Amino acid sequence: PDFIVGQSTETIAVNSRQQRGAKRGPPPGLNGQWITDFTLARQLAQQHNTPLMLDFTGSDWCGWCIKLDEEVFDTEAFRQWAAKRVVLVKLDYPRRTKQDPELKKQNEALSQHYQIRGFPTVLIIDPAGKELRRFGYTKGGFKAWLNGLLANTRGLESLTP
């Protein structure tokens, strides 16, 4: 399915000009940093033949989401692992923080499409959008979380450190 772009085309054009003008590494989403624009993320995943990691989170109200961010996603070990293996997409469902209406609409459509029932939910999907793995919070930091993510998972060999 097609989803609404979470950034204006003007922002994307400015970002593209900045990226062309500067010698940089991989673009956001492929460099260990999260992006919110699902359409752009799928384009990057298709261009680089890389799976996407979708983080469905409630950043300002969900205690387990906050713990997952602090214990896993905010670590340098996670960023280094992710930069080589996945396009990172943060799909937030805040209660107190204002959110752009287009971004909110995109996130709601994705939540319905992937039948998200609770938070946090982390999906690994292929560039075509097919779900490969569904996961959440695991106590113990990045290594424990990664071991849980990769346990009993066929087809995700490219994610193995």
Side-chain angles (χ1 to χ4, degrees), residues 111-123:
S111 177
Q112 289 178 7
H113 177 77
Y114 288 107
Q115 300 177 3
I116 302 304
R117 302 283 183 250
F119 298 95
T121 298
V122 176
L123 299 183

Side-chain angles (χ1 to χ4, degrees), residues 13 20 62 79-80 92 100 108 110 116 118 125 150-151 158 161:
R20 281 194 307 267
C62 170
R79 284 189 287 274
Q80 287 179 7
D92 197 8
D100 177 85
E108 286 300 324
L110 288 164
I116 302 304
I125 64 171
L150 299 177
S158 66

